[in-house]
Amino acid sequence: MIKLLSYPLSVIYYVFFGLVLVVLHPLQWLCFNLFGYQAHKKSVDFLQLCLMQCAHILGTRFSFNNPHNIDFNRPLIIVANHQSLHDIYPLTWYMRKHHPKFISKIELGKGIPSVSYNLRHGGAALIDRKNPRQSLPALMKFGEYIESTKRAAVIFPEGTRSKNGTPKPFQTKGLEILFKKVPSALIVPITVNNSWKMLRYGNFPMGIGNHLKFTVHKPIELATFVDKQELINSIESTIKNHIEH
């Protein structure tokens, strides 16, 4: 019965989802080209809010638990598990005051209204995971950008999304590069729960009635850890220990 209901709701969702991407694409362009970064960021924030409203069509609820007072005037490295694309717009919205910038596969940098434009012009790192000669310099440049602008790098160290919520092992190379290039960073581990349920049936129909939960764990001073592998292990354990099964 629930899956049957998800068919008409998914059609309505995709109509509004597509309209949001198409309509807000020229708004992003205008903001970026006429008024610069700050105006463009506001248009991107509005995009994330609209995408969350679209998800409400499916009965989706969002909880963001952040009991920590995180400084807005320093670079962050936000580390999270990855369950679906529905991790991204809530994270961007709830952490918007920190100017979150994502590490994304290069294929997403073209062809998707609003999303591709923001990835190309909003400060993201677009990497070709099959080409280290491209990806490693891109990550290093991204880290330098985060350090100099005091913005937030968002990285999903699993490398790809978990289709059933069970986390994959962390790949450490990206984190190691960010640790070197953003030495003054505060590490912010975040656990994502239930995002994978949005795609439990695949891309159509969508999962309905889901409660997406984001838990922000105690921030960690990068500079206090000499052994970076120990730090990575600690972050991975913290995030995975709070995943709901």
Side-chain angles (χ1 to χ4, degrees):
M1 184 65 183
I2 293 177
K3 186 175 181 180
L4 188 63
L5 180 61
S6 70
Y7 281 95
L9 290 177
S10 296
V11 171
I12 298 169
Y13 166 80
Y14 275 119
V15 168
F16 280 93
F17 183 86
L19 282 172
V20 165
L21 295 186
V22 170
V23 170
L24 293 190
H25 184 94
L27 176 63
Q28 274 196 67
W29 187 93
L30 287 170
C31 288
F32 182 79
N33 287 282
L34 297 183
F35 303 106
Y37 173 82
Q38 291 295 340
H40 177 240
K41 183 188 178 300
K42 290 184 183 301
S43 72
V44 172
D45 290 345
F46 183 59
L47 169 66
Q48 313 312 318
L49 179 60
C50 289
L51 293 178
M52 291 178 68
Q53 296 302 315
C54 288
H56 289 324
I57 294 169
L58 300 168
T60 308
R61 293 177 294 145
F62 299 93
S63 294
F64 195 83
N65 180 24
N66 178 20
H68 311 288
N69 185 19
I70 303 173
D71 191 349
F72 294 119
N73 192 35
R74 64 176 303 177
L76 305 181
I77 299 175
I78 297 171
V79 186
N81 60 307
H82 190 26
Q83 296 189 344
S84 78
L85 64 88
H86 301 280
D87 305 337
I88 295 170
Y89 55 87
L91 268 177
T92 307
W93 171 253
Y94 286 116
M95 297 298 289
R96 64 191 181 279
K97 292 182 180 180
H98 298 280
H99 299 245
K101 310 299 177 186
F102 286 79
I103 298 172
S104 176
K105 57 185 180 181
I106 199 167
E107 293 87 349
L108 297 179
K110 56 184 178 181
I112 309 172
S114 289
V115 174
S116 297
Y117 189 87
N118 180 44
L119 289 174
R120 292 197 310 272
H121 299 283
L126 291 169
I127 62 170
D128 183 349
R129 290 182 291 187
K130 298 178 182 178
N131 182 6
R133 295 183 66 181
Q134 183 275 339
S135 60
L136 295 180
L139 280 172
M140 289 188 280
K141 183 178 179 181
F142 177 66
E144 291 167 356
Y145 164 78
I146 295 297
E147 177 72 16
S148 64
T149 57
K150 294 182 172 60
R151 292 170 184 162
V154 184
I155 183 170
F156 300 119
E158 291 165 279
T160 187
R161 65 184 178 90
S162 167
K163 296 182 180 181
N164 60 5
T166 301
K168 301 177 183 297
F170 276 16
Q171 301 176 24
T172 63
K173 192 63 179 179
L175 283 171
E176 290 168 357
I177 291 173
L178 289 180
F179 289 169
K180 289 180 181 178
K181 294 297 181 178
V182 197
S184 66
L186 189 68
I187 312 298
V188 182
I190 297 180
T191 298
V192 179
N193 275 299
N194 299 328
S195 169
W196 69 272
K197 294 179 181 178
M198 298 289 286
L199 301 174
R200 69 171 78 207
Y201 309 124
N203 289 321
F204 188 85
M206 298 286 293
I208 63 174
N210 297 304
H211 185 186
L212 276 59
K213 302 176 184 178
F214 299 80
T215 303
V216 180
H217 304 291
K218 184 178 179 180
I220 304 166
E221 287 284 355
L222 173 60
T224 62
F225 275 80
V226 175
D227 187 338
K228 297 303 188 280
Q229 186 57 54
E230 180 187 351
L231 172 58
I232 292 172
N233 293 342
S234 175
I235 295 168
E236 184 172 6
S237 296
T238 297
I239 291 171
K240 291 183 175 180
N241 287 341
H242 289 80
I243 293 175
E244 299 175 1
H245 297 286

